[in-house]
Amino acid sequence: MQRRHFSLASVTLALTLAAGSALAQTKWDLAAAYPASNFHSENMAQFAAEVDQASGGKLKITLHAGASLFKAPEIKRAVQGGQAQAGEILLANFQNEWQLYGADGLPFLADSYDASVKLYKAQRPLLEKKLGEQGMQLLYAVPWPPQGIYTKKPINSAADLKGVKWRAYSPATARIAELVGAQPVTVQAAELSQALATGVVEATMTSGATGVDSKLYEHLKYYYDTQAWLPKNAVIVNKKSFDALDKPTQDAVLKAAASAEARGLAASQRINTETLAKLKANGMQVLAPSAALKADLKKVGDTMLKEWLEKAGPEGKTLIDAFGK
């Protein structure tokens, strides 16, 4: 009888421990707008796997790529409201909400990877403060490859863009369209291929990576490597969700985020080289912009920086001054 009682007690203890372990596991949804095959999404998948391993399975992060959980413009609000614990956003999409979100979308301000990293170092403390005020926390950010112009027809100057149906995905891209006389059309990445196929869009300004993802070479023939800016995708988390984790799990998340940031930057640089080669291989002409086009776009950049500084106020000046040092 003693042995039987001991056995029952052991089973009860084991079941109790198992139940406790199940209760201790936390699950997060990570909402993302780009395809699972995109380098940002692949980086997030690895981030989630590293968190799982480092936390001993205590935190499971499920990645929902391809706008399958929320569309791109909805992700920030979803994370802020706790509908998703974490999400990936294109910072420039939210410039109308707070001008500094769009700093990395200002044409020709930071037009190389080195300049992009420098701008991010100046921008990050301000981003962290703003997101904190909105109930969120920045985990990491990764730049897209430099942005260029895709068109159906050759362009030698900004005048060649007049009246062209131009895909705008942020306030900055919409303003560029206005300044060059193009017709801005708001289309998110997930709908871009269809918009091109139906003639809703005739030109767009985006990276080589998006060009390959969306198979732009099926509809557009020219890519001008203007290296206009390197906008960043930021992975953010609901602050209450993060604060609810125990300290070792928080540390695991932050460590994995730091790794993802460094890995993402290296991947972006590699993808830039690879995707331009893929565009060429699929029949697209990859060209340097003419001197006239570069001069026209420089004027656009100067105008937009002036406008941005007027709207951004002292915070904007602080950022640009820090970036300029």
Side-chain angles (χ1 to χ4, degrees), residues 2-173:
Q2 290 288 336
R3 185 173 296 169
R4 184 164 177 266
H5 282 309
F6 178 74
S7 177
L8 285 170
S10 300
V11 170
T12 302
L13 178 61
L15 288 171
T16 302
L17 289 171
S21 175
L23 288 170
Q25 188 184 83
T26 301
K27 293 183 179 180
W28 281 4
D29 288 314
L30 173 52
Y34 298 93
S37 58
N38 182 271
F39 79 96
H40 284 289
S41 301
E42 290 175 346
N43 193 31
M44 278 184 283
Q46 191 169 341
F47 162 72
E50 288 184 5
V51 169
D52 184 8
Q53 185 175 12
S55 68
K58 286 170 75 176
L59 177 57
K60 296 275 188 186
I61 300 175
T62 301
L63 173 64
H64 301 271
S68 56
L69 192 60
F70 294 100
K71 291 181 179 178
E74 301 167 353
I75 291 174
K76 181 174 176 288
R77 186 183 293 275
V79 175
Q80 194 168 352
Q83 294 164 283
Q85 290 77 22
E88 183 195 43
I89 62 170
L90 180 68
L91 288 168
N93 273 354
F94 300 94
Q95 182 177 332
N96 282 346
E97 179 185 320
W98 182 58
Q99 288 298 313
L100 273 71
Y101 281 137
D104 57 18
L106 290 168
F108 306 103
L109 176 65
D111 56 359
S112 68
Y113 279 101
D114 287 345
S116 172
V117 169
K118 188 180 178 188
L119 179 61
Y120 178 50
K121 284 180 179 174
Q123 189 184 20
R124 178 154 189 158
L126 298 163
L127 284 174
E128 288 176 332
K129 181 174 180 289
K130 185 65 174 181
L131 288 168
E133 289 169 359
Q134 296 182 331
M136 292 171 286
Q137 182 169 331
L138 175 65
L139 292 182
Y140 70 88
V142 171
W144 283 93
Q147 306 287 289
I149 300 174
Y150 292 86
T151 59
K152 282 189 172 182
K153 61 179 185 178
I155 52 172
N156 294 308
S157 70
D160 294 326
L161 291 167
K162 278 194 170 65
V164 167
K165 294 173 186 172
W166 171 283
R167 176 228 176 185
Y169 61 86
S170 67
T173 51

Side-chain angles (χ1 to χ4, degrees), residues 179-212:
L179 289 170
V180 299
Q183 181 184 333
V185 183
T186 301
V187 175
Q188 298 305 321
E191 289 89 40
L192 182 53
S193 291
Q194 185 181 354
L196 288 163
T198 55
V200 172
V201 168
E202 298 171 319
T204 186
M205 200 166 195
T206 191
S207 67
T210 298
V212 170

Side-chain angles (χ1 to χ4, degrees), residues 93-321:
N93 273 354
F94 300 94
Q95 182 177 332
N96 282 346
E97 179 185 320
W98 182 58
Q99 288 298 313
L100 273 71
Y101 281 137
D104 57 18
L106 290 168
F108 306 103
L109 176 65
D111 56 359
S112 68
Y113 279 101
D114 287 345
S116 172
V117 169
K118 188 180 178 188
L119 179 61
Y120 178 50
K121 284 180 179 174
Q123 189 184 20
R124 178 154 189 158
L126 298 163
L127 284 174
E128 288 176 332
K129 181 174 180 289
K130 185 65 174 181
L131 288 168
E133 289 169 359
Q134 296 182 331
M136 292 171 286
Q137 182 169 331
L138 175 65
L139 292 182
Y140 70 88
V142 171
W144 283 93
Q147 306 287 289
I149 300 174
Y150 292 86
T151 59
K152 282 189 172 182
K153 61 179 185 178
I155 52 172
N156 294 308
S157 70
D160 294 326
L161 291 167
K162 278 194 170 65
V164 167
K165 294 173 186 172
W166 171 283
R167 176 228 176 185
Y169 61 86
S170 67
T173 51
R175 182 63 177 137
I176 292 168
E178 291 171 6
L179 289 170
V180 299
Q183 181 184 333
V185 183
T186 301
V187 175
Q188 298 305 321
E191 289 89 40
L192 182 53
S193 291
Q194 185 181 354
L196 288 163
T198 55
V200 172
V201 168
E202 298 171 319
T204 186
M205 200 166 195
T206 191
S207 67
T210 298
V212 170
D213 279 347
S214 301
K215 297 182 179 178
L216 296 189
Y217 44 77
E218 292 181 352
H219 308 285
L220 304 173
K221 296 302 174 191
Y222 300 90
Y223 177 72
Y224 292 89
D225 190 13
T226 56
Q227 301 196 26
W229 68 91
L230 291 80
K232 293 184 293 291
N233 277 6
V235 175
I236 54 175
V237 63
N238 179 279
K239 193 76 171 68
K240 286 181 182 176
S241 297
F242 183 81
D243 290 345
L245 302 174
D246 60 33
K247 184 66 165 58
T249 307
Q250 287 181 351
D251 290 344
V253 170
L254 295 177
K255 185 178 179 183
S259 295
E261 190 164 275
R263 183 174 61 242
L265 176 61
S268 180
Q269 291 170 307
R270 184 183 72 251
I271 290 293
N272 185 45
T273 302
E274 290 175 359
T275 52
L276 292 185
K278 286 178 184 175
L279 292 176
K280 285 181 184 177
N282 281 282
M284 184 168 271
Q285 291 195 47
V286 177
L287 305 165
S290 68
L293 182 58
K294 281 186 79 169
D296 289 343
L297 294 176
K298 178 70 168 62
K299 287 177 189 172
V300 168
D302 291 345
T303 299
M304 290 180 65
L305 178 58
K306 184 173 178 289
E307 291 173 348
W308 184 85
L309 282 168
E310 288 170 0
K311 291 178 183 175
E315 277 184 321
K317 188 175 186 308
T318 298
L319 172 58
I320 298 302
D321 287 348

